[in-house]
Each structure stands twice: as C-alpha cells, then as structure tokens.
C-alpha cells in the first residue's frame, strides 16, 4: 500500500510540475503516467475519466488525480494523488513569486514562453488524437462530434450545455 501511495504522489507530482501551460497542458503528462508508465488505466478508461472530469467543475488535474487515486488506493489514494498535484506547484509558486514578478516583462522570459507554447499545443493535440481514435467507433459518434463542432464554433453554445446534452443523448442511444 505504501509503495502504491508513493507511486501516486510521484506520478501526479511529476505530471503537474512538468505540465507547463495550465490545465489542458497537464493532460498528456497525466496520461503518460496513468496509462503508459503505471498502467493504472487503459487509453479508453483514461478517455472516459477525462470526459467525466471535464463534465465537472474545477481543475482537470485535481479531478483526474482524485479519480485515479481513489481507484488505486481508496480515499487515501485520492488524497495523496491530489497532494502530488497541488503541493509541489503551490510551493514553487510561493518560492518563485518574487522572481516571476521581477522578471515578468523580461524579453528572455517572454522568448522562452513563446518557444514553449507550440510544444504545449502539440502535446495536447497528440493526446486528443490518441483519445479520439477510440472515441469514434461508429457514425453516431462522428455525428456527435460534428454537432459539437457546430455548437461550439458556429452556435457559440456553452461547453457545459453541450456536455449535458451529449450525456443525455448517450443515455438514450447507447444504453
């Protein structure tokens, strides 16, 4: 049990501390830890956990940590995985706040940030592609995806509404 808790704190600590760019940027790193390194979930299970997590309020990293941690080691696992996500980052922000504020307008820092943005976008796209491959098994799922694109980009509907409607549709159609 202790080894399992240690793995949870290390996995989520590593993912959250290397996840430059906020919530979506940490998803590929969590996926690597959960699916590829520790094999706590399959790609399909991770996709489902991410879908459920995105339907709930709050940061995605803490929701995934809680979900995976709970599956692996119960409530203590959920707590430890969330400590892995939150504590190192919170400490880094507290310790580096003065430096970040002092150099926030630095051309060097701005250049570094511009250089890392494309990497973050590609990592997110790679994760989306990996998850998308198993998410479109038939024409109905492709129709849901098309309706989502229209709803988001053309109709400008709120994503929460789209998620709720798609969950209701899934309940009726895929029961």
């Amino acid at each position: 049990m202790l080894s399992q808790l240690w793995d949870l704190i290390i996995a989520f600590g590593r993912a959250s501390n290397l996840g430059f760019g906020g919530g979506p940027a940490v998803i590929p790193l969590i996926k690597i830890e959960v699916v590829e390194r520790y094999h706590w979930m399959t790609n399909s299970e991770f996709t489902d956990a991410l879908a459920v997590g995105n339907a709930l309020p709050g940061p995605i990293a803490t929701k995934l940590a809680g979900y995976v941690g709970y599956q692996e080691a119960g409530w203590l696992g959920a707590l430890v995985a969330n400590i892995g996500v939150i504590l190192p980052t919170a400490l880094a922000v507290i310790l580096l706040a003065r430096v970040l504020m002092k150099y926030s307008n630095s051309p060097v820092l701005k250049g570094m940030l511009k250089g890392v943005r494309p990497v973050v976008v590609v990592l997110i796209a790679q994760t989306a592609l990996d998850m998308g491959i198993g998410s479109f098994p038939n024409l109905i799922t492709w129709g849901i995806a098309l309706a989502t694109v229209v709803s988001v980009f053309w109709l400008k509907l709120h994503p929460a509404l789209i998620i709720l409607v798609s969950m209701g549709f899934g309940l009726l159609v895929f029961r």
Side-chain angles (χ1 to χ4, degrees):
M1 175 76 159
L2 192 56
S3 150
Q4 201 171 25
L5 295 173
W6 180 252
D7 287 345
L8 284 166
I9 202 164
I10 293 298
F12 283 96
R14 185 172 29 228
S16 71
N17 284 296
L18 297 175
F20 184 85
V26 79
I27 294 169
L29 300 172
I30 292 175
K31 181 181 170 284
I32 288 168
E33 297 291 338
V34 169
V35 175
E36 297 171 21
R37 179 167 288 147
Y38 290 101
H39 308 288
W40 290 323
M41 294 179 154
T42 65
N43 194 49
S44 177
E45 291 168 334
F46 183 81
T47 302
D48 290 345
L50 183 61
V52 169
N54 277 320
L56 299 170
I60 191 64
T62 55
K63 292 181 282 188
L64 287 173
Y67 184 84
V68 173
Y70 183 79
Q71 272 198 320
E72 290 305 305
W75 287 106
L76 185 57
L79 177 66
V80 166
N82 269 298
I83 288 171
V85 168
I86 297 165
L87 186 62
T89 304
L91 289 175
V93 167
I94 291 166
L95 295 173
L96 296 174
R98 186 169 297 195
V99 174
L100 291 173
M101 293 187 64
K102 182 177 179 181
Y103 295 106
S104 65
N105 291 320
S106 161
V108 172
L109 183 59
K110 286 182 179 182
M112 291 168 61
L113 294 175
K114 281 184 183 178
V116 79
R117 284 183 193 140
V119 173
V120 170
V121 170
V122 168
L123 290 174
I124 293 169
Q126 176 204 9
T127 301
L129 180 63
D130 288 348
M131 293 185 319
I133 289 170
S135 297
F136 301 102
N138 56 45
L139 286 175
I140 295 173
T141 54
W142 281 99
I144 293 169
L146 179 61
T148 301
V149 169
V150 169
S151 298
V152 169
F153 294 109
W154 188 54
L155 299 176
K156 308 285 188 209
L157 295 179
H158 194 281
L161 177 63
I162 299 166
I163 289 168
L164 290 173
V165 169
S166 68
M167 288 174 75
F169 182 79
L171 176 67
L172 295 173
V173 174
F174 296 118
R175 220 189 291 200

